[in-house]
Amino acid sequence: MTTDQNPLLVCVCGNKIQSREVRLFSDSALSDNIGRRGDNPASVSPFGLVEPELDELCSNIKQKLTPQNKELADITQYYFDGKGKAFRPMLVMLMAKAINVHMKKSASLLESQKEVSMIAEMIHTASLIHDDVIDASDTRRGKPTVDTLWGQRKAILAGDYILSVASVAIAKIRNEEVVYILARVIEDLVRGEFMQLGSKEDENARFNHYLKKTFKKTASLIANTCKAVAVLAECPDDVVEIAFQYGRNIGVAFQLIDDLLDFTSCDHVMGKPTAADLRLGLATAPVLFATNHHPELNSMIMRRFSMEGDVERARKMVANSNGVEQTRVLAEEHSKEAMYQLSHLAPSVFRESLGNVANAVLTRTK
């Protein structure tokens, strides 16, 4: 999908996006529960193909997070309990194995590629801790957030500590290009958070602003860690770009579905409060699409849903529009593009499994 075919730009112009038929894999267990391990044979299950490496992930991260202060150790290790999705390290490991096969090397992960998968999870977790402070969230993954248990100051310091340990791990890889790639992820996270604090007055610029923010806050981590493992496999530039573009499109699709679920799921299923984005004053894809049917949403967006009744009115307007449907269509477009990128890699069970992930992202429920 080229830039001028981006359905976001079509929507900004006010034209309808036509839904296209998307072929879904028959692996319903994976589709329904992308975070569940052991439901499918190893030959098709993304988690099954990297399960031995994933089983070591949390313990290896905890070994890195060993501050002398016991309370800091307790806080930083709180989310590394083996109960998270491990979606990002799983994806990075699968991409590394697919790339290794493509380059006619052993499918086994290089130690440096394993490090990148751990770094991905550490950066992601640190960003969750910081996000929960910024958003004043009470729950994460169905349990109290770090700042709820230990307070905001200690939560911020714990997130900073995890990032610092991740930075040391990046440096130890001793690859200048990879250091630059992964350092860019941390920069993007901060820039994305600042972008989220503002709204574009120009209605036609809001979708582009939203897309750029989505890339920096969510997709950059996946895209650049996939790129890093390709660099470590000594891939040519075109293969490195394939890895990056696959990760970018998966990351954007993942966030679009996350934004959609904020309107269609419930607190119990998500493990965190729903309609949280509106309460935080954020206009995500379902709202931005809904402005085509309800232009009055634009004034609410600019005041960040701050007036009494704005949140409920906005929810009803989204429900009475095709905003959710169009968000799903857009996610499908990014999933298709991820699949297209994979088609340039040599066939392997790892490539097939990455394709399964591209489809499963669309039907996840949490």
Side-chain angles (χ1 to χ4, degrees), residues 344-358:
H344 299 295
L345 297 180
S348 70
V349 67
F350 308 110
R351 189 189 78 168
E352 177 190 354
S353 201
L354 286 168
N356 286 350
V357 172

Side-chain angles (χ1 to χ4, degrees), residues 32-101:
D32 292 340
N33 293 286
I34 193 168
R36 183 181 297 173
R37 303 185 201 176
D39 286 337
N40 311 290
S43 61
V44 294
S45 165
F47 286 108
L49 288 171
V50 292
E51 191 164 13
E53 294 91 344
L54 283 175
D55 285 344
E56 300 174 355
L57 182 76
C58 286
S59 60
N60 289 340
I61 290 175
K62 286 182 177 181
Q63 288 177 12
K64 292 180 181 294
L65 299 173
T66 54
Q68 292 183 345
N69 185 290
K70 184 182 183 303
E71 186 177 27
L72 181 57
D74 290 341
I75 299 172
T76 55
Q77 295 180 11
Y78 179 64
Y79 283 135
F80 299 111
D81 55 5
K83 297 179 181 178
K85 293 186 182 75
F87 174 74
R88 288 153 188 83
M90 176 270 290
L91 208 59
V92 174
M93 290 176 184
L94 282 177
M95 177 57 74
K97 291 193 175 192
I99 288 290
N100 291 350
V101 171

Side-chain angles (χ1 to χ4, degrees), residues 92-310:
V92 174
M93 290 176 184
L94 282 177
M95 177 57 74
K97 291 193 175 192
I99 288 290
N100 291 350
V101 171
H102 180 82
M103 296 299 292
K104 297 180 171 58
K105 299 179 179 180
S106 168
S108 299
L109 295 176
L110 302 171
E111 286 302 315
S112 56
Q113 291 174 327
K114 288 182 183 179
E115 284 292 307
V116 171
S117 68
M118 285 193 288
I119 289 164
E121 187 69 356
M122 292 169 73
I123 293 175
H124 172 60
T125 302
S127 73
L128 295 184
I129 294 173
H130 285 158
D131 280 353
D132 287 340
V133 172
I134 293 169
D135 300 342
S137 299
D138 296 326
T139 58
R140 167 77 65 179
R141 296 176 180 172
K143 63 182 185 178
T145 58
V146 167
D147 63 293
T148 299
L149 295 177
W150 285 281
Q152 290 187 354
R153 291 182 180 180
K154 290 179 179 178
I156 292 169
L157 291 172
D160 290 345
Y161 177 73
I162 295 173
L163 283 177
S164 70
V165 174
S167 298
V168 171
I170 292 170
K172 285 184 176 179
I173 292 175
R174 298 185 182 280
N175 182 299
E176 185 177 346
E177 186 176 359
V178 169
V179 169
Y180 174 79
I181 291 168
L182 298 181
R184 183 63 183 268
V185 171
I186 299 174
E187 179 188 6
D188 281 345
L189 281 170
V190 177
R191 287 179 178 270
E193 199 63 57
F194 265 87
M195 288 182 71
Q196 187 163 278
L197 296 175
S199 297
K200 289 288 184 182
E201 290 190 21
D202 183 352
E203 295 170 12
N204 291 331
R206 284 192 190 133
F207 250 119
N208 285 334
H209 181 83
Y210 166 80
L211 247 196
K212 288 178 181 177
K213 182 269 296 180
T214 295
F215 171 77
K216 291 183 182 298
K217 280 204 66 180
T218 303
S220 174
L221 174 60
I222 299 173
N224 282 299
T225 48
C226 285
K227 180 178 181 178
V229 294
V231 169
L232 291 168
E234 300 179 333
C235 295
D237 289 347
D238 61 330
V239 178
V240 171
E241 184 65 13
I242 287 168
F244 176 85
Q245 291 298 336
Y246 172 86
R248 181 182 75 83
N249 281 282
I250 287 293
V252 173
F254 188 95
Q255 187 59 51
L256 286 166
I257 296 299
D258 206 60
D259 293 343
L260 177 156
L261 290 173
D262 201 45
F263 286 90
T264 62
S265 191
C266 63
D267 295 4
H268 174 70
V269 173
M270 288 290 284
K272 60 183 179 181
T274 50
D277 291 330
L278 286 176
R279 295 189 182 98
L280 291 169
L282 304 178
T284 56
V287 178
L288 295 173
F289 277 120
T291 60
N292 289 327
H293 297 272
H294 301 284
E296 58 269 39
L297 276 168
N298 288 308
S299 59
M300 295 186 196
I301 291 170
M302 287 310 300
R303 63 177 180 255
R304 299 180 70 85
F305 311 102
S306 58
M307 289 182 60
E308 186 176 353
D310 275 359

Side-chain angles (χ1 to χ4, degrees), residues 22-24 31 34 253-254 257 260 328-336 357-365:
V22 177
R23 176 181 178 274
L24 297 180
S31 298
I34 193 168
F254 188 95
I257 296 299
L260 177 156
R328 187 173 294 282
V329 170
L330 181 57
E332 289 171 354
E333 292 293 331
H334 282 282
S335 175
K336 286 180 182 179
V357 172
N359 282 290
V361 161
L362 299 176
T363 51
R364 69 189 182 92
T365 57

